[in-house]
Amino acid sequence: MEMLKYICSSVGMTTVILCLVILLALRVIFKARYLPPGPWGFPWLGMVPYFWLVGRLDGVQRHEALAHLAARYGKVFSFTVLGKLVLVLSNKEAVEEVFRRQELNDRPKVWIKNGPKGEGLATASGEAWKQQRAFTVRILDKFGVGKPAFEEKIAREARSLLSVIAKKEGQSFDPKHLLMLCVSNVITELLFSTKHEYGDADYMKHLDAIREITHLMGSSGAANSVYLLSHIPTPSRIRLAELLSYEANTIEGMIKTHLDILDRGNLRDYLDEYLNEMLSTCEEGLQSEISRENLNRNLSHLFLAGTENISTTLRWSLLFMIGKPDVQARVQAELDRVVGRERLPTLADEPSLPYTRATMLEIQRAASTAALGAAHRSSRSFSYRGWTIPADTTVICNVWAIHNDPEIWQDPAEFKPERFLGEDNEIIKDACLIPFSAGNRVCVGRHLARMEIFVFFSHLMHRFHFRKVGNSPVSFQGHGSFAREPLDFQVEVTERK
Ligand code: HEM
């Protein structure tokens, strides 16, 4: 009784609160001893105010802010955001080692209120991810994606692009939509056996929606992984849900058409293969994650990733070429010497084109289109370099920081293809390049991406000379961390004879 009275008195209450605060502080300090170093941040909010302030006041992008923190706290550091622990890897070896671990195979849970249901390959975790990944790798392999036989499909698109650009001689134009369309035709043919014409205004709107989805996904970021916050109807979240529903409905239309005419003896594309697999597991009475529920999102992720990342890399490539005319001239001189003017370049020429290859590697380094990769989540606690990383930690690979690390690259802000060439003009194989991330969830489309970048870039350089419009200097400023893209720009072309 006396004890209770003491606790209720103001002195007692202050003592109890003080003890609780000390215990809490000790717990935080004790836990932090086992974590990689990092900034403390505010209670619960963690580093949110910091990112918000440097973003709003100084225009610093998320990947740049994380690179500044890495310079201070180390290439493996941690902090909290909205009560969640975040581990940031800014070192290639660390990414390769950590992302190889089974407990890092998951993605953070993301809630999009009123968004489409189901889990696609890029966002799924656990068994849903494992099965969809294995299925996708098998089907891409079956269709020869990334293998020499697939080259002609890409080259056909590249030739169509060349004829459209040839008509633009004498005018300035923004290459964004043209590049998106030719790249998207490669992936839509693979997924749905469909293609689109260059003048198709409705499809252009669809491609613009895809770009907007990518940017809104990136900007809504961490808040979408906190259930209560993700349900606050901000204008960008409402817009994102609208766009995702529109996109899911478009894909649903394709699924229905495919189902109506499905011929299980003649599977034409990825969607046919998926439907066939679904029906087979159903007939055998097996439980599977290759399901009607996941199909729509799976197609969406492949379409989105297969269109946005490559077309953005190609936009960067044209920007670097108009900003660095000397590099463009050297690429063209090499193409002329090795390929000649009578035919277009092919993949078989690639080994004999070291400067062109080095230029493509430098484009990928300097562009870092997937600047922060895609976040992983630890499903269990794990030890790494003596630290104990708890379950439910978000783990990020800062691709941009690795590609701009002054300890690895001399003058990282400079565009210099030579950095990828050895003394005998051979490509330096073990360069610290990681555009597709690493480990078990490494980009599933990387072979296709490398092939497309070579075919489209070499065709464009072989056929046209690209130059900037006007006298102002070309800006290599990028924006966005989820899909880092250049600011809009215009080009002019001259056909090379
Ligand atoms: C320049 C082009 C590309 C870049 C820079 C790129 C980059 C990346 C990165 C950094 C990741 C995250 C890997 C991780 O979680 O650690 C990723 C995942 C992914 N990419 Fe790509 N990508 C490109 C092209 C493509 C293409 C053409 C496709 C479609 C075939 C594709 C489909 C995917 C998918 C589905 C995932 C999720 C894989 C998973 O979660 O298991 N990407 N990509």
Side-chain angles (χ1 to χ4, degrees):
M1 202 58 187
E2 281 305 303
M3 184 74 165
L4 202 67
K5 270 191 196 157
Y6 173 73
I7 290 175
C8 293
S9 71
S10 61
V11 180
M13 198 57 103
T14 317
T15 315
V16 170
I17 292 175
L18 214 74
C19 286
L20 282 176
V21 169
I22 291 171
L23 276 175
L24 207 72
L26 282 175
R27 190 166 169 259
V28 170
I29 292 167
F30 187 73
K31 269 176 107 180
R33 276 179 52 206
Y34 296 100
L35 292 175
W40 279 83
F42 291 83
W44 191 73
L45 285 175
M47 292 297 281
V48 172
Y50 169 80
F51 291 124
W52 189 83
L53 275 176
V54 295
R56 285 292 151 107
L57 300 182
D58 299 335
V60 176
Q61 313 272 322
R62 192 69 46 84
H63 52 276
E64 294 165 339
L66 291 173
H68 290 317
L69 292 174
R72 180 146 178 220
Y73 295 99
K75 290 183 186 165
V76 178
F77 72 98
S78 65
F79 58 88
T80 62
V81 160
L82 306 176
K84 283 184 178 288
L85 185 68
V86 180
L87 179 72
V88 184
L89 311 172
S90 315
N91 167 304
K92 191 180 174 213
E93 290 74 40
V95 176
E96 285 168 346
E97 195 180 332
V98 172
F99 283 179
R100 229 186 6 236
R101 308 179 74 114
Q102 296 298 317
E103 54 272 59
L104 261 300
N105 283 351
D106 285 1
R107 295 274 189 227
K109 179 84 188 129
V110 166
W111 286 275
I112 309 281
K113 194 172 184 299
N114 299 328
K117 305 280 170 288
E119 287 289 2
L121 172 54
T123 52
S125 293
E127 200 50 34
W129 169 72
K130 228 184 243 170
Q131 289 187 22
Q132 299 201 82
R133 174 98 189 186
F135 173 81
T136 302
V137 169
R138 177 160 64 80
I139 298 307
L140 293 186
D141 192 54
K142 180 176 170 186
F143 285 118
V145 173
K147 296 193 187 136
F150 201 78
E151 183 183 359
E152 180 44 29
K153 287 185 198 287
I154 302 171
R156 224 172 23 231
E157 283 313 315
R159 290 194 295 272
S160 307
L161 175 68
L162 298 184
S163 18
V164 176
I165 293 186
K167 295 188 193 123
K168 303 247 174 221
E169 199 164 347
Q171 330 162 14
S172 56
F173 63 97
D174 179 342
K176 181 172 60 223
H177 281 143
L178 299 182
L179 295 174
M180 274 190 100
L181 194 126
C182 66
V183 170
S184 92
N185 270 346
V186 176
I187 193 81
T188 54
E189 190 182 5
L190 182 70
L191 298 178
F192 316 113
S193 305
T194 56
K195 284 202 198 189
H196 295 270
E197 296 297 323
Y198 280 84
D200 188 338
D202 281 345
Y203 188 61
M204 289 304 173
K205 276 195 209 137
H206 186 75
L207 293 179
D208 279 336
I210 298 297
R211 281 185 66 222
E212 204 180 336
I213 288 175
T214 317
H215 285 286
L216 288 171
M217 291 285 253
S219 59
S220 48
N224 284 342
S225 58
V226 179
Y227 184 76
L228 283 178
L229 291 184
S230 73
H231 281 62
I232 300 172
T234 60
S236 62
R237 223 166 265 147
I238 294 170
R239 176 78 180 142
L240 179 60
E242 271 171 19
L243 286 168
L244 284 171
S245 302
Y246 153 78
E247 190 237 0
N249 288 339
T250 313
I251 294 182
E252 204 48 38
M254 312 254 208
I255 298 176
K256 290 204 172 108
T257 322
H258 267 63
L259 258 176
D260 285 346
I261 55 164
L262 180 68
D263 173 359
R264 293 180 73 186
N266 174 28
L267 303 172
R268 298 159 302 160
D269 47 40
Y270 182 94
L271 176 46
D272 271 358
E273 292 280 354
Y274 202 104
L275 293 171
N276 183 49
E277 180 89 357
M278 256 169 55
L279 294 172
S280 302
T281 46
C282 201
E283 284 157 7
E284 290 164 31
L286 299 171
Q287 280 285 335
S288 172
E289 293 293 342
I290 304 298
S291 63
R292 185 73 175 82
E293 197 179 26
N294 291 336
L295 170 58
N296 189 302
R297 290 303 75 206
N298 211 36
L299 290 166
S300 161
H301 293 173
L302 286 165
F303 173 62
L304 210 131
T307 302
E308 184 67 11
N309 274 327
I310 302 183
S311 61
T312 305
T313 306
L314 291 171
R315 273 170 75 203
W316 277 112
S317 74
L318 291 188
L319 186 71
F320 288 126
M321 292 305 101
I322 60 170
K324 295 277 170 193
D326 51 324
V327 175
Q328 183 179 177
R330 267 187 81 177
V331 169
Q332 287 163 338
E334 187 180 67
L335 286 168
D336 290 352
R337 197 171 61 248
V338 174
V339 179
R341 301 299 308 154
E342 302 305 313
R343 63 173 180 92
L344 285 161
T346 69
L347 273 167
D349 298 313
E350 204 187 3
S352 319
L353 295 165
Y355 190 78
T356 308
R357 287 170 75 196
T359 305
M360 291 187 304
L361 294 174
E362 179 66 345
I363 288 164
Q364 289 178 68
R365 182 197 70 82
S368 299
T369 48
L372 289 179
H376 291 226
R377 173 187 167 272
S378 57
S379 52
R380 284 194 302 269
S381 79
F382 67 99
S383 307
Y384 176 62
R385 294 189 190 170
W387 295 305
T388 303
I389 316 293
D392 202 23
T393 299
T394 299
V395 185
I396 293 173
C397 154
N398 192 346
V399 172
W400 185 87
I402 298 171
H403 288 174
N404 286 274
D405 185 344
E407 287 174 20
I408 301 170
W409 313 95
Q410 206 186 5
D411 306 324
E414 291 289 311
F415 185 86
K416 288 200 292 198
E418 296 77 15
R419 64 172 94 244
F420 286 99
L421 289 174
E423 279 176 9
D424 296 326
N425 224 21
E426 81 287 359
I427 291 287
I428 298 175
K429 292 244 168 56
D430 55 354
C432 214
L433 205 64
I434 190 166
F436 303 105
S437 185
N440 304 334
R441 286 196 90 140
V442 63
C443 174
V444 81
R446 63 198 180 286
H447 304 301
L448 176 62
R450 286 196 195 104
M451 192 179 244
E452 285 197 53
I453 293 169
F454 174 79
V455 174
F456 284 116
F457 179 69
S458 63
H459 276 53
L460 288 168
M461 288 299 105
H462 187 268
R463 174 88 177 262
F464 301 110
H465 172 69
F466 287 84
R467 63 182 175 280
K468 66 179 183 174
V469 177
N471 290 323
S472 37
V474 174
S475 163
F476 296 140
Q477 177 73 40
H479 67 102
S481 294
F482 191 59
R484 185 173 178 270
E485 61 172 357
L487 303 172
D488 282 352
F489 63 95
Q490 302 263 319
V491 290
E492 282 174 354
V493 292
T494 314
E495 196 147 352
R496 301 183 64 240
K497 297 294 171 217

